[in-house]
Amino acid sequence: MTVVLTPAAVQDIAELRQLYFDVYGHGYPVPLGSDPAVMRELITDGTAHWLTARTNRGDLVGSAVVQTDPGSRIGKLVGLAVHPGHRGGGLASRLTGVVCDEAFGTGRLDSVYTTVRVVTGGPQHIVVRNGFRPLGLMPNAVEVEGCESLALFARYGNGVLERRAPVERVPERLAPLLSAVSSGVGIDYAGTAHVTTRSTVSAVTGAEPIELIAAPGFVRRRFLEHFPDAGSRFFPLHTPNAVLVAVDGRFEAYADLDPVAGSCALVAVHPHPAAVSGALEALMTAVRRAGADYAETLLPLADTEALEAFLASGFVPSAGYPAMRRIGDRFHDYVVLSRTSRQIDFRATAVGALLQPYLSAYLSAWTSTYLPLHEVSR
């Protein structure tokens, strides 16, 4: 049966919602598959490339979207869905390839990333066939059909990786992750030195409570007051909708909190990332009470001080993102650090050869963070 790919239109919204329901049921945690207002905005505001697939009878059987963040020159592949009755013919791979080619074809993107579920190996194979490279593994990152882990992949524009800025040194706990990134992406960190940091996390930190303010409009205005320069804020495709405030006022942590997905992205900390040192337990308690069992943050690989602050607070290196941010004519590497409040269980994950180094790296980093040295040596 012939399938034609065409840009999504506003009149497709009802059929698109039905498609996502047919594929995911009530468990799809992304608004673009369920919220008509969000879907309309994405289709009409010019920041997304959205393709639909229809049969020659007019049935809508597939969808894929690349959301873009024009200021950062980064896109995200989301919403890939193929109706159960039309799987097995390569439609998911075709949608992925065409929508990404269209996005890169504008000349306004340097990379496109995506997170894929690892309950099966199929999504991983689809993105790899379309030029995506593995970057890491985030355990317990989303609530879909129960608590699931996600894998991070990225596809780069021509010449981007060749213009990376060198990184002189990183905390030694990042060494296993960088080794996995080197093989997964095909870059060299041999010249990056490893500096010694604390190997374990204090058992009790941050007894003071944290106040959480979930008022999106107020939070966005205050966020822009503290970070008026676009260069001082960098977390593509995330807008803070909540702020976590220390009772003594020593820091404000801005977060993109998503109770439906059970996740929280710490977008920025004022006055600086190290200000959260010693307060993580209270911060995570506030996040859990707000409905998120998983928290992550994105930091420059070259910012050793910020990395050490979060590593000392129990965050674990989960993924690297080489050449993520363009500054001038060079590209700078970033790293994702995460922490989960739930027990991690990898028994139901499909971790193939490409992701195995990242699983090993995560386990090594988690062990060095949470297990005493005498326990590890037994």
Side-chain angles (χ1 to χ4, degrees):
M1 182 179 293
T2 303
V3 175
V4 179
L5 306 188
T6 57
V10 171
Q11 56 266 32
D12 298 327
I13 289 176
E15 289 179 276
L16 284 165
R17 292 182 70 198
Q18 183 61 49
L19 171 68
Y20 284 105
F21 179 80
D22 290 341
V23 174
Y24 296 103
H26 293 288
Y28 193 58
V30 181
L32 71 82
S34 58
D35 188 326
V38 172
M39 298 169 78
R40 175 182 289 271
E41 183 177 2
L42 282 172
I43 290 171
T44 60
D45 71 0
T47 63
H49 302 267
W50 194 330
L51 289 182
T52 62
R54 289 185 179 275
T55 67
N56 52 9
R57 294 182 302 189
D59 299 325
L60 196 153
V61 296
S63 172
V65 187
V66 171
Q67 291 179 263
T68 67
D69 185 348
S72 68
R73 296 181 59 84
I74 290 175
K76 182 181 182 182
L77 173 67
V78 291
L80 177 62
V82 172
H83 191 277
H86 293 266
R87 293 175 182 167
L91 180 55
S93 183
R94 181 184 168 197
L95 272 165
T96 299
V98 174
V99 76
C100 288
D101 288 345
E102 180 182 293
F104 276 111
T106 65
R108 295 192 292 268
L109 294 180
D110 296 314
S111 65
V112 171
Y113 75 93
T114 189
T115 54
V116 302
R117 301 167 68 190
V118 291
V119 289
T120 66
Q124 302 166 48
H125 300 318
I126 289 169
V127 295
V128 169
R129 282 198 297 268
N130 284 282
F132 284 78
R133 311 186 196 195
L135 300 181
L137 191 64
M138 286 94 80
N140 292 356
V142 68
E143 186 76 26
V144 185
E145 296 177 0
C147 188
E148 295 186 14
S149 299
L150 298 176
L152 178 67
F153 289 80
R155 173 174 162 178
Y156 293 91
N158 294 332
V160 170
L161 288 172
E162 288 71 29
R163 288 188 282 159
R164 291 173 48 250
V167 179
E168 294 184 0
R169 62 193 187 103
V170 297
E172 63 180 351
R173 211 176 300 162
L174 291 178
L177 174 62
L178 295 191
S179 177
V181 172
S182 293
S183 60
V185 182
I187 58 176
D188 187 6
Y189 281 112
T192 301
H194 302 155
V195 296
T196 302
T197 57
R198 277 192 301 170
S199 59
T200 58
V201 178
S202 174
V204 179
T205 58
E208 290 294 327
I210 299 293
E211 297 175 341
L212 189 150
I213 302 170
F218 165 79
V219 169
R220 285 193 291 270
R221 289 193 300 271
R222 189 163 177 86
F223 176 67
L224 292 175
E225 289 173 3
H226 282 315
F227 301 93
D229 177 16
S232 66
R233 56 182 190 268
F234 183 78
F235 207 130
L237 296 163
H238 285 77
T239 301
N241 58 10
V243 59
L244 298 129
V245 184
V247 171
D248 61 8
R250 71 181 185 275
F251 71 81
E252 295 180 8
Y254 290 86
D256 183 358
L257 184 65
D258 187 349
V260 175
S263 66
C264 175
L266 296 175
V267 176
V269 178
H270 177 79
H272 51 77
V276 299
S277 295
L280 182 86
E281 294 303 326
L283 188 147
M284 289 298 294
T285 297
V287 167
R288 284 196 300 273
R289 288 174 177 169
D293 297 299
Y294 168 89
E296 68 182 23
T297 193
L298 178 71
L299 294 170
L301 185 58
D303 192 345
T304 302
E305 180 183 9
L307 289 169
E308 288 180 343
F310 276 87
L311 290 170
S313 296
F315 277 71
V316 178
S318 300
Y321 200 136
M324 184 177 193
R325 185 179 188 181
R326 177 190 282 203
I327 302 177
D329 63 349
R330 303 301 293 274
F331 291 88
H332 297 261
D333 298 355
Y334 274 69
V335 63
V336 178
L337 306 179
S338 70
R339 174 160 170 167
T340 175
S341 303
R342 295 192 188 186
Q343 179 177 332
I344 302 171
D345 187 350
F346 288 115
R347 288 175 298 179
T349 59
V351 176
L354 287 175
L355 289 179
Q356 184 60 51
Y358 293 101
L359 175 58
S360 299
Y362 185 88
L363 293 175
S364 174
W366 188 95
T367 298
S368 65
T369 300
Y370 288 105
L371 293 185
L373 291 177
H374 69 274
E375 294 288 343
V376 177
S377 62
R378 285 183 180 177

